[in-house]
Amino acid sequence: VFKALNHHSTVRMKQARYQEALEMLQEMDSMLEACNFPPEESWDCYDKIYRNIGMAMSALGRSQEALEYMEKAARVKVQVGEPVSWFDMWDIGK
């Protein structure tokens, strides 16, 4: 379900419907938290959601909040022992 919702929000971003995408992603983030999925069990979900929230916020001109979410995506990886990639660093530097 999360994968489908993530793809749906990505389509919204490609349609330049950034606010709708952001609302969907924030709802997904709330669902993950409510389900008490620790990042150790589903770090890739957190990574994708945080990264996409950051991209939507960036598209809406909310640069500081976008940066915070890009950093959250990288921290999730560090927390579970996954390497932070050049792609993560690229997003943080945008």
Side-chain angles (χ1 to χ4, degrees):
V1 173
F2 269 48
K3 191 179 255 188
L5 290 172
N6 187 54
H7 286 300
H8 190 87
S9 68
T10 302
V11 169
R12 289 290 183 255
M13 284 196 280
K14 289 181 180 181
Q15 295 171 329
R17 295 164 69 178
Y18 306 115
Q19 186 60 44
E20 288 177 45
L22 179 59
E23 290 168 8
M24 292 173 67
L25 291 160
Q26 289 173 325
E27 182 67 27
M28 291 168 58
D29 187 26
S30 295
M31 289 168 58
L32 263 182
E33 289 178 14
C35 292
N36 292 320
F37 282 123
E40 296 82 26
E41 291 180 19
S42 54
W43 69 267
D44 54 332
C45 287
Y46 283 95
D47 177 55
K48 285 178 184 139
I49 289 171
Y50 292 159
R51 180 183 313 280
N52 288 341
I53 289 173
M55 294 181 110
M57 287 188 170
S58 179
L60 290 167
R62 295 165 61 180
S63 301
Q64 185 59 41
E65 292 167 289
L67 175 60
E68 290 169 14
Y69 272 93
M70 294 301 184
E71 289 174 341
K72 273 178 99 168
R75 276 196 304 272
V76 163
K77 285 185 171 181
V78 169
Q79 183 180 348
V80 299
E82 288 291 322
V84 176
S85 70
W86 69 269
F87 192 70
D88 298 310
M89 299 309 292
W90 175 268
D91 284 340
I92 289 170
K94 277 187 181 174

